[in-house]
Amino acid sequence: MKQESQLNKRWAIGQPRPAEQAVARPASAIAVRRLLVVLVLIAIGLRLWFIALNPIDPSSSTADDGDYYRRALRFAITGLYIDDGWLIRPPLHVFFFAAWLRIGVLLGNLKLGLLLIQLAQTALSTLNVLLGFGIARRLFGNPSAGLLFAAFLALWFPFVEQPSVLFSELLYSTLFLTHFWLLLRFDASGRLGTLALSGLALGAAALARSPALYSIAFVVLWLVVREQSKRNKEQTGQRQSLFSVLGSLFTSTLVPAIIVVVCCLAVVLPWTARNYIVYHRIIPVDTLGQINMWLDLDKVDQRTQHIETLRHMPQADRQAYAMARAKEILAADPLKPFRNMWPTFQHIWKAQFVEDYFIKESFYDRPLRAAAPLGLFGDLLWLVFTAAGLVGLAAPPREGWHNRLFVLAWVGYTLFTVLIFHVEPRYLLPLWIMIALYGAGVLAGLRTKKQEQRTNQQKSIVNRLSSIVQVVLLVAFAVLLVTYRDYPSIIRQGLTREWWMRAGDNAFARGDYTGAAQDYRTAADVQPSFLDSKVRLALSQLAQGYNAEARATLAGVNLRTAQFVSELATPGGGPEKAADFNAVEATIGLDLQQWTLQWLRPPATTAVHLGNGTDLGYIAGFSGSEQGPTGSYRWLSNAGKFVLPLPAPLQPGATVALRVVAPQPTPLTIAMGDRRVTVTVTPDHWREYIVPVPPELAGQQSLTVELSAPPFIPLYQNPDSNDMRQLSVMVSDIWVK
């Protein structure tokens, strides 16, 4: 009877009876595998689609991705790792990027290196889907939970976007999920080798993001609680003194804890030793936390000044200086870190894509409009998994107290660090991963919940308290979500704005600049805080020659694209304006030449001189402006083009002339239409190279001339150089005759 009762209970919570297992398990396993393969293929497809949708140019970014790219590129070229930014950063993701950039350097194509990074990150992101399936299945003993968690990791927009950009979070989340998966495997097998691998993965994660280093304490806690739970099951009814229990726990967890700590530190300490050798200070991984703490504690309007102060002092002294300033602030006001905590806490619980798409003042070249269906679906996915995850975290721990406390420790740790410092969506990814994991467990158990309730008519006090906590958490989450933003009004306003923005874009594309200006003006009236509409309005005015109106439209608009367009609308030219544009190109964080080809409508012309501030809107694929003995010019990268709107249709027999020089004999391929001509550019002095326009292009009023040449990297050829650009030939002029 007792055995039959246990079997009925197992069956009641969704597990097959022994008689059914022989038939049900193989069919179920095949179905699970098929669904997992489908999710993996969807994950790969979505990430490749977004990579194609979101071309990146980190070389001109002033954010973290630009710093990572420049460090990685220098390391790929020279083998030297230099902390040339204002912080000592974790190095592992930089090394990861450098490995792929090195292939691009060897093949003479840095864009290929960037593409390889994105493809490698796509592989990591796909691995996360598989790891997520394995973690949830092991944790909850339910393949459905594994599939649901894998679906969240495959479909949620922040995870789809990650492979296309150069940040540390994707590598970090992969290593952390690997660490957690290996812990669960050790929990099932007891193999110390698996535990050692888990420690190595944690150490590697710490070299991608240093907060992981301090979570060694969570692993030790996990080991202690796991051992105690095992003893409670094995020694039911036996009484032991507290000292006996503690002593037994210490001896049984000492060896596993030592293994984890030693393996973790074996990965981290070589980098710590490097920091000590270079800077003569104990810096375990980076200086990010200490410096950010000072900057976040002090006044916001002084942040730029503080950063400049740090930049002008030796790298080794920056951490000590920042800590001293932070201690001064805390000595004067010990509660300073907590005074702005509530608004920050509210800001965490927001619908992120709605925030980016309908509330932020600019897309700034992020393809959010094209990604809106996936992004908005992702917010609904996040809402469901977060609500379910909060319920799961407050439920009695069927997966074991050691696993529950481990996850709660990570949730609390992530929340605390974000609240003390500042909120960025990518900093919150570990939080959503953990909550969504438990959300998958709850959603997978919905089918069996009624059956469980029928077999447990009398709820224990623990279950009743758990139910109360679950209700409180759900109500609190709903209140935070509803009170932070008026989402219905925001979405209605945003959809109206987007309708007019799309209408304006369509009108601009077909050359109806008056209609485009009216549409953009309406979009700006619907949502004045969306500054992209004012930039597009100014571009429409500029296309009509209304320069003064364009400058007035952009007055007070604090966007880098707005400042650039306003400068374009300002009369004047020459070397000073060229220098201003050159500075913008170097720091704007997007491919400005490609952007101006899309959005500027420069005057029709038969000649363009490069580097004097009047060439933007006609060119793509060139480096910044430079001045030589004979005037201004630009370097061609490995490939570029001219797009020339002509004042009159091309005549038969027309020719194109290019004024070019190179540091060594270089083959330059010139393509117009389907015709390609290769000339050898000589290094002795500037020369004109004349190429006939293909007869089939006669009558056209726009001419595209594509150029390509084998590139080189100055730093790769000359260690004394500091130039990491990819260059080929110098071009100063193009004429159509």
Side-chain angles (χ1 to χ4, degrees):
M1 285 294 292
K2 185 177 180 181
Q3 184 178 5
E4 178 67 21
S5 175
Q6 289 176 345
L7 289 174
N8 286 336
K9 185 177 181 181
R10 289 181 60 195
W11 174 76
I13 61 174
Q15 297 183 17
R17 291 174 181 262
E20 299 171 331
Q21 288 180 5
V23 177
R25 184 175 294 170
S28 176
I30 292 171
V32 167
R33 290 195 196 99
R34 287 175 177 173
L35 287 172
L36 184 59
V37 169
V38 169
L39 285 173
V40 166
L41 293 176
I42 291 173
I44 294 172
L46 287 175
R47 283 146 181 80
L48 294 179
W49 161 75
F50 196 80
I51 287 170
L53 197 66
N54 188 37
I56 59 172
D57 179 26
S59 62
S60 60
S61 173
T62 57
D64 287 350
D65 58 336
D67 186 20
Y68 298 154
Y69 174 77
R70 287 183 284 275
R71 291 177 191 234
L73 182 56
R74 177 178 283 105
F75 187 66
I77 294 171
T78 67
L80 298 175
Y81 185 91
I82 300 174
D83 294 303
D84 56 349
W86 63 285
L87 295 171
I88 299 171
R89 292 188 181 273
L92 192 62
H93 53 287
V94 176
F95 296 157
F96 176 75
F97 298 153
W100 302 106
L101 287 175
R102 178 66 179 174
I103 298 175
V105 169
L106 294 175
L107 297 177
N109 191 339
L110 290 181
K111 288 188 177 179
L112 174 62
L114 281 174
L115 177 61
L116 290 174
I117 290 173
Q118 293 175 315
L119 294 177
Q121 292 197 129
T122 298
L124 288 180
S125 190
T126 305
L127 177 59
N128 282 353
V129 174
L130 295 172
L131 288 169
F133 171 80
I135 288 170
R137 184 185 63 172
R138 285 183 175 276
L139 192 64
F140 302 111
N142 188 340
S144 297
L147 289 172
L148 285 167
F149 189 45
F152 180 79
L153 296 175
L155 300 175
W156 193 38
F157 179 74
F159 294 135
V160 173
E161 186 180 28
Q162 275 187 328
S164 70
V165 293
L166 268 62
F167 288 105
S168 62
E169 276 66 30
L170 181 54
L171 181 60
Y172 168 73
S173 62
T174 303
L175 291 167
F176 170 74
L177 288 174
T178 302
H179 161 67
F180 193 13
W181 178 71
L182 288 167
L183 276 184
L184 294 176
R185 282 181 63 89
F186 166 75
D187 193 21
S189 67
R191 295 176 181 172
L192 294 179
T194 304
L195 186 62
L197 291 174
S198 179
L200 293 173
L202 182 60
L207 289 186
R209 290 201 67 199
S210 57
L213 176 62
Y214 309 105
S215 70
I216 292 177
F218 303 159
V219 183
V220 174
L221 173 67
W222 182 86
L223 289 169
V224 171
V225 178
R226 171 182 178 270
E227 183 64 25
Q228 181 58 34
S229 299
K230 286 174 58 180
R231 290 174 179 273
N232 287 342
K233 291 179 181 179
E234 295 170 357
Q235 300 176 0
T236 304
Q238 298 181 16
R239 294 185 179 182
Q240 290 183 306
S241 67
L242 177 61
F243 290 108
S244 175
V245 170
L246 293 178
S248 179
L249 278 177
F250 177 78
T251 54
S252 59
T253 59
L254 180 61
V255 171
I258 289 175
I259 288 174
V260 170
V261 172
V262 167
C263 289
C264 178
L265 295 182
V267 178
V268 174
L269 287 181
W271 180 253
T272 307
R274 174 264 183 188
N275 287 339
Y276 186 79
I277 292 169
V278 174
Y279 300 113
H280 305 290
R281 293 182 184 274
I282 300 296
I283 301 169
V285 178
D286 60 18
T287 58
L288 196 67
Q290 298 88 338
I291 291 175
N292 275 344
M293 180 164 63
W294 169 47
L295 296 177
D296 289 319
L297 286 174
D298 216 334
K299 296 178 181 177
V300 176
D301 58 2
Q302 294 182 352
R303 187 181 181 95
T304 302
Q305 178 185 341
H306 292 333
I307 291 174
E308 288 304 310
T309 300
L310 288 172
R311 287 188 189 277
H312 287 89
M313 66 174 56
Q315 179 70 267
D317 298 335
R318 295 175 188 176
Q319 176 181 249
Y321 179 84
M323 281 302 298
R325 303 290 79 74
K327 288 178 180 178
E328 289 175 3
I329 295 170
L330 291 173
D333 184 2
L335 298 179
K336 179 76 172 179
F338 308 98
R339 297 197 181 279
N340 200 41
M341 188 171 284
W342 176 244
T344 305
F345 183 75
Q346 287 179 298
H347 190 57
I348 291 171
W349 308 92
K350 61 183 180 295
Q352 186 58 56
F353 193 86
V354 170
E355 189 89 8
D356 290 344
Y357 189 51
F358 291 125
I359 298 172
K360 285 193 174 180
E361 62 185 17
S362 173
F363 292 169
Y364 202 72
D365 210 39
R366 289 177 71 197
L368 298 182
R369 190 165 287 123
L374 178 65
L376 294 173
F377 168 74
D379 273 1
L380 292 176
L381 203 66
W382 168 83
L383 183 65
V384 170
F385 273 81
T386 300
L390 294 174
V391 169
L393 287 170
R398 297 186 178 182
E399 74 284 6
W401 270 109
H402 56 304
N403 291 318
R404 177 65 59 85
L405 290 177
F406 180 81
V407 171
L408 287 175
W410 264 106
V411 168
Y413 183 44
T414 304
L415 279 173
F416 178 76
T417 54
V418 169
L419 290 172
I420 291 297
F421 296 110
H422 56 272
V423 177
E424 283 192 34
R426 56 196 178 99
Y427 295 169
L428 290 169
L429 290 179
L431 174 68
W432 306 132
I433 286 173
M434 287 300 192
I435 292 178
L437 171 62
Y438 272 75
V442 169
L443 294 172
L446 287 179
R447 290 189 306 170
T448 60
K449 189 167 184 180
K450 291 182 179 179
Q451 293 172 325
E452 281 187 57
Q453 289 176 346
R454 284 197 296 266
T455 60
N456 294 284
Q457 295 296 328
Q458 294 183 347
K459 287 190 174 182
S460 68
I461 295 177
V462 173
N463 287 337
R464 292 180 184 277
L465 290 175
S466 172
S467 299
I468 293 172
V469 174
Q470 288 172 336
V471 171
V472 169
L473 286 176
L474 283 178
V475 171
F477 176 55
V479 170
L480 284 168
L481 198 67
V482 171
T483 58
Y484 185 66
R485 301 284 192 202
D486 182 2
Y487 284 112
S489 297
I490 287 169
I491 292 173
R492 281 196 302 270
Q493 181 191 58
L495 290 174
T496 305
R497 177 207 79 196
E498 280 301 289
W499 194 93
W500 289 106
M501 287 294 293
R502 289 175 185 271
D505 289 350
N506 292 334
F508 193 96
R510 64 176 180 264
D512 179 10
Y513 305 121
T514 301
Q518 292 173 349
D519 294 334
Y520 291 138
R521 187 177 286 109
T522 304
D525 291 339
V526 169
Q527 188 177 343
S529 62
F530 187 65
L531 303 183
D532 278 357
S533 59
K534 296 182 179 179
V535 174
R536 301 279 175 87
L537 172 58
L539 288 166
S540 302
Q541 294 167 331
L542 202 61
Q544 300 173 75
Y546 301 149
N547 291 20
E549 289 84 348
R551 292 197 303 274
T553 297
L554 296 176
V557 178
N558 188 24
L559 285 180
R560 282 178 284 183
T561 48
Q563 293 163 2
F564 167 70
V565 174
S566 183
E567 187 65 28
L568 278 175
T570 303
E576 291 184 0
K577 193 160 190 174
D580 291 340
F581 286 164
N582 207 31
V584 170
E585 283 190 75
T587 59
I588 198 167
L590 54 84
D591 187 339
L592 186 63
Q593 293 175 24
Q594 195 64 48
W595 188 86
T596 53
L597 273 184
Q598 180 182 1
W599 291 107
L600 288 190
R601 296 297 181 265
T605 185
T606 58
V608 173
H609 179 68
L610 277 69
N612 65 350
T614 62
D615 54 2
L616 291 172
Y618 300 106
I619 63 171
F622 292 85
S623 66
S625 304
E626 296 188 39
Q627 292 290 326
T630 60
S632 62
Y633 65 91
R634 288 180 184 265
W635 283 93
L636 175 70
S637 61
N638 64 319
K641 65 181 177 180
F642 291 93
V643 179
L644 305 177
L646 302 171
L650 280 167
Q651 299 298 315
T655 60
V656 168
L658 289 161
R659 186 169 179 265
V660 188
V661 72
Q664 60 270 332
T666 305
L668 173 65
T669 300
I670 305 166
M672 289 175 281
D674 295 330
R675 303 289 183 91
R676 293 178 179 272
V677 176
T678 300
V679 300
T680 300
V681 180
T682 57
D684 46 358
H685 60 271
W686 289 91
R687 291 175 181 263
E688 289 184 19
Y689 297 83
I690 300 175
V691 179
V693 176
E696 60 267 23
L697 299 183
Q700 294 189 5
Q701 206 158 336
S702 176
L703 178 64
T704 298
V705 182
E706 297 180 333
L707 308 177
S708 60
F712 68 97
I713 299 173
L715 179 58
Y716 189 56
Q717 292 189 344
N718 179 12
D720 294 330
S721 173
N722 196 38
D723 192 344
M724 296 187 292
R725 296 176 299 170
Q726 186 170 255
L727 310 173
S728 59
V729 300
M730 294 172 272
V731 184
S732 68
D733 294 274
I734 185 172
W735 304 273
V736 179
K737 299 181 181 179

